[in-house]
Amino acid sequence: MTATSSTGLRRVMIANRGEIAIRIADAAAARGIESVAVYVDADAHSLHTRRTDARVKLEAPANDPVAGYLDIDQIVKAAVDAGCDSVHPGYGFLSENPAFAAACD
């Protein structure tokens, strides 16, 4: 079990990839918050998957790897299964999707 940060958060799912996910992971670590990356096969060896405390593979068709990052149900399930108490949407993908916010609620 992890300690609670000064913000009250313990573990955040980062529902994004690449540089934005790295920045979120670094900011979380600086605040004592564990982070969990999501990734699809195409991003399995990306830096963002190595800068977090844990990672969860998303399913996506090989010809459309972005589909995994847009799958609300899959990301919310991954966050719950990974023991996350928060989700950071990052930039793009689901960050401006009210259905994603509602699903996280």
Side-chain angles (χ1 to χ4, degrees):
M1 178 171 249
T2 61
T4 302
S5 72
S6 62
T7 63
L9 302 176
R10 292 181 309 106
R11 190 169 233 215
V12 61
M13 168 71 61
I14 304 170
N16 216 292
R17 66 180 180 183
E19 179 65 22
I20 191 66
I22 293 167
R23 289 179 184 219
I24 296 164
D26 289 349
R31 288 160 181 80
I33 303 168
E34 289 186 354
S35 59
V36 180
V38 292
Y39 70 97
V40 296
D41 279 335
D43 295 329
H45 301 290
S46 294
L47 183 57
H48 82 277
T49 67
R50 297 185 306 253
R51 291 289 280 272
T52 55
D53 298 292
R55 63 189 209 155
V56 176
K57 181 181 175 192
L58 300 174
E59 297 302 321
N63 65 345
D64 186 13
V66 171
Y69 296 101
L70 297 174
D71 187 329
I72 292 172
D73 293 336
Q74 188 174 192
I75 290 175
V76 171
K77 181 179 182 330
V80 170
D81 290 351
C84 296
D85 54 15
S86 59
V87 177
H88 193 305
Y91 181 83
F93 292 133
L94 296 171
S95 67
E96 296 181 21
N97 186 328
F100 182 55
C104 290
D105 190 35

